Amino acid sequence: MTTNDATLAELSERYKDKPVSEATYEIDGQLFTVTSHYVGEKSLDKELYRMAFERAYAETVGQV
C-alpha cells in the first residue's frame, strides 16, 4: 500500500511513533501554523529545491 492509498486513520496508526513539531509563522501580518510529521519518506534536499523553484517561478510570473 502506498501513502496515497491509505486512509487518514491508517496513516495516523502507521506514524504514531514518529516525531511531530508545530510552529507558527507570521507572514505579511497573517499567522500560519505549520504542523510537520517526520516520517522519513521524503528527501529534504529535493523538497527544499522544489519549493524554492516553485516560489522563484511564481515571483517571476507575478503570482506572489
Side-chain angles (χ1 to χ4, degrees):
M1 175 188 315
T2 66
T3 303
N4 294 336
D5 298 332
T7 65
L8 184 56
E10 291 169 333
L11 291 173
S12 182
E13 179 64 25
R14 185 183 309 163
Y15 300 122
K16 68 182 178 187
D17 297 331
K18 303 292 184 187
V20 176
S21 69
E22 191 171 281
T24 303
Y25 301 94
E26 183 175 347
I27 301 173
D28 294 332
Q30 188 171 3
L31 291 177
F32 295 89
T33 300
V34 177
T35 303
S36 301
H37 300 267
Y38 300 97
V39 297
E41 293 183 2
K42 293 193 180 224
S43 166
L44 184 58
D45 289 337
K46 288 180 183 177
E47 287 301 306
L48 289 175
Y49 175 82
R50 181 189 60 77
M51 291 168 56
F53 180 84
E54 288 175 1
R55 177 66 182 251
Y57 179 78
E59 289 177 356
T60 300
V61 297
Q63 295 178 351
V64 174

